[in-house]
């Protein structure tokens, strides 16, 4: 059960931000030569990104009254969404039917975690 909607929204947005930054950190090498030539610098971004994930986890766990599983599934789903969008925008990888079904399942995971009452 959601205890705090503000914490849920903030945690979800932080997960989306973290997943987006990780996408650029590890896949930026395919869209920019500067990034490709500087893996050490890109790896150092792991520290601020981890900080974002720590707070995303804190807020989302708070939103679910201390339960850890919902935050993990919401974080995973935000990763699926950001990956699909960024991969399409930067690498022109279109959404196949398999990817669309996977995104629908990711959305279903979030809805189940948010709306299903124990």
């Amino acid at each position: 059960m959601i205890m705090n909607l503000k914490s849920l929204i903030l945690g979800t947005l932080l997960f989306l931000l973290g997943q987006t930054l990780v996408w650029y950190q590890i896949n930026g090498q395919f869209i920019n030569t500067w990034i490709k030539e500087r893996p050490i610098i890109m790896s150092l971004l792991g520290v601020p990104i981890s900080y974002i994930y720590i707070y995303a986890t804190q807020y989302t766990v708070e939103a679910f009254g201390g339960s850890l599983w919902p935050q993990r599934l919401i974080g995973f789903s935000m990763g699926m969404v950001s990956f699909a969008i960024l991969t399409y925008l930067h690498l022109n990888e279109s959404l196949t039917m398999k990817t669309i079904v996977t995104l629908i399942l990711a959305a279903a995971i979030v809805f189940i975690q948010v709306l299903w009452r124990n």
Side-chain angles (χ1 to χ4, degrees):
M1 182 167 88
I2 299 173
M3 302 298 215
N4 186 331
L5 185 59
K6 181 180 174 184
S7 292
L8 175 63
I9 292 169
L10 184 55
T12 301
L13 290 175
L14 285 171
F15 272 124
L16 186 59
L17 174 62
Q19 294 284 8
T20 299
L21 293 173
V22 166
W23 191 95
Y24 285 107
Q25 181 188 31
I26 62 176
N27 297 310
Q29 62 184 315
F30 304 117
I31 59 173
N32 185 288
T33 55
W34 187 92
I35 293 172
K36 184 176 184 172
E37 295 168 355
R38 291 165 179 83
I40 298 294
I41 292 172
M42 296 311 292
S43 68
L44 293 175
L45 290 174
V47 174
I49 292 169
S50 294
Y51 194 73
I52 291 168
Y53 281 129
I54 288 168
Y55 279 98
T57 300
Q58 176 184 330
Y59 286 119
T60 313
V61 168
E62 177 183 301
F64 287 95
S67 294
L68 201 57
W69 267 109
Q71 69 77 31
R72 177 63 188 109
L73 297 169
I74 289 171
F76 162 77
S77 296
M78 292 301 98
M80 293 295 299
V81 170
S82 66
F83 186 89
I85 292 168
L86 293 170
T87 302
Y88 173 75
L89 290 175
H90 291 294
L91 301 173
N92 295 318
E93 288 191 29
S94 62
L95 297 176
T96 64
M97 186 53 70
K98 179 171 68 172
T99 303
I100 292 168
V101 169
T102 303
L103 290 172
I104 291 168
L105 291 171
I109 288 169
V110 172
F111 289 129
I112 288 168
Q113 289 300 315
V114 171
L115 301 175
W116 189 316
R117 304 286 184 225
N118 288 335

